[in-house]
Amino acid sequence: MTVFPLFENIDRKTFLIVGGGNVARRKVERLLQFTNRIVVIAEETDISGVKVIRRPFALTDLDRGDFVIAATDDRELNQQIAGYCNEHRIPVNVVDDPELCSFIFPSVVKRGDLAIGISTGGTSPAYSQLLRKTLERNLPSQIGGILERMGKLRSVVPQQVPEQERRARCYKEILSELLLSNNATSDKEIDAIIYRWHYHLEEERDG
């Protein structure tokens, strides 16, 4: 199975999950990091916090989803779901059956706007999970806040440092300061960096 890492805009997209057991719950928990547009269809489930339809599943239910996840313990039903989705061009993930999937769930590291997806193409999910935990341990604890501040600067710095090359170096210096301080760098200190790059003072400092 050949997979390509692709980040897609899921605003106003609905994830439909068929099944209500532990696997379905884990999928809901992972998706809730990104969206609450989730519908679960299951006769019995204790999943909460999302829309749950408690009744027997029908293939036409799949039309509710922009993405479908088959999380039942019935392989024949999962195959029917995959077949219907492929016929109607609905992206589908079948739990523990990569050959029936048109998309897969990577191991995910999520910190604010930072999202890292890790996949071994189904060959070793255990290694994906191990690498995810390693990344989580080594990320700055305030990386979400750091990226939020960098995002806000994108509407400020271009006005002060219009030259693209100099602006890139300005961003790099600010990011380095934020990473070194774990987001403790003050707004005043950041303004001072932008001021230097605006007035070419960094050349005097380097020279």
Side-chain angles (χ1 to χ4, degrees), residues 6 13 20 23 38 44 48 52 55 71 73 76 92 97-98 109 111 118 136 138 142 153 162 164 174 179:
L6 176 69
K13 298 292 182 66
V23 173
I38 304 167
E44 296 182 5
S48 61
V52 177
R55 62 163 171 76
D73 56 6
E76 183 177 344
V92 60
D97 202 335
V109 177
R111 294 289 185 277
I118 306 163
E136 288 177 331
N138 288 280
Q142 297 299 316
L153 288 171
Q164 193 279 331
I174 293 171
L179 289 171

Side-chain angles (χ1 to χ4, degrees), residues 102-170:
S102 60
F103 75 94
I104 63 174
F105 270 77
S107 291
V108 174
V109 177
K110 185 77 165 66
R111 294 289 185 277
D113 289 331
L114 175 67
I116 304 172
I118 306 163
S119 172
T120 59
T123 58
S124 181
Y127 182 70
S128 294
Q129 294 173 15
L130 177 63
L131 183 55
R132 172 181 59 80
K133 292 177 180 178
T134 301
L135 287 170
E136 288 177 331
R137 285 195 302 268
N138 288 280
L139 283 175
S141 61
Q142 297 299 316
I143 189 62
I146 289 171
L147 294 179
E148 182 179 356
R149 293 178 76 183
M150 291 298 297
K152 291 178 179 178
L153 288 171
R154 290 178 66 85
S155 63
V156 175
V157 175
Q159 301 173 27
Q160 302 296 322
V161 189
E163 302 93 338
Q164 193 279 331
E165 183 178 350
R166 293 171 54 77
R167 186 165 65 250
R169 293 170 65 190
C170 178

